[in-house]
Amino acid sequence: MDYVKAFVVGGVICMLVQILMDKTKLMPGRIMVMLVVSGSILGFLGIYEPFAEWAGAGATVPLLGFGNTLWKGIGKAMGEDGLLGIFKGGFTASAVGISGALIFGFLGSLVFRPKMKE
């Protein structure tokens, strides 16, 4: 049942973003930034963590989850390092995910040989 819940929640998030892309003139980059910032704000307000525990990967994998991860890293680093934690906490918390995306993206480019658009 956890898989179904994660699939439905992730699908609803993606559906809402697709509607936002189709019905507004917002560029995809701005929508992505809005999702990360929204996840950070919801994490700050204490709303996102209970939602992520209930929804599982359906809430932690999309960009909302990335924003929440950044917020958790910043909050933890601020508690340990004070003001300096604002600058380093997000990098520390998200380093593994970003590194994984870069490594697997590079490996995928080796396998599929992408070409530039003409």
Side-chain angles (χ1 to χ4, degrees):
M1 194 63 184
D2 289 338
Y3 295 121
V4 173
K5 191 185 324 180
F7 179 78
V8 170
V9 170
V12 168
I13 291 170
C14 291
M15 179 188 68
L16 293 173
V17 170
Q18 188 65 48
I19 290 170
L20 189 63
M21 289 175 69
D22 291 343
K23 300 296 182 186
T24 67
K25 294 182 181 183
L26 290 172
M27 300 298 289
R30 291 186 182 199
I31 293 172
M32 290 170 52
V33 169
M34 283 175 34
L35 288 169
V36 173
V37 171
S38 298
S40 298
I41 292 170
L42 291 173
F44 170 75
L45 296 174
I47 297 170
Y48 199 81
E49 198 62 37
F51 172 65
E53 287 178 19
W54 175 80
T60 57
V61 171
L63 285 174
L64 288 169
F66 180 68
N68 185 50
T69 300
L70 290 175
W71 165 250
K72 287 193 304 190
I74 290 170
K76 180 180 176 187
M78 283 180 61
E80 295 171 357
D81 302 324
L83 190 59
L84 186 61
I86 293 173
F87 301 105
K88 77 175 205 173
F91 293 117
T92 304
S94 62
V96 173
I98 293 171
S99 298
L102 289 171
I103 291 167
F104 289 117
F106 175 73
L107 293 175
S109 73
L110 293 177
V111 172
F112 296 106
R113 299 184 187 262
K115 296 182 175 82
M116 295 296 290
K117 288 185 177 183
E118 296 179 17

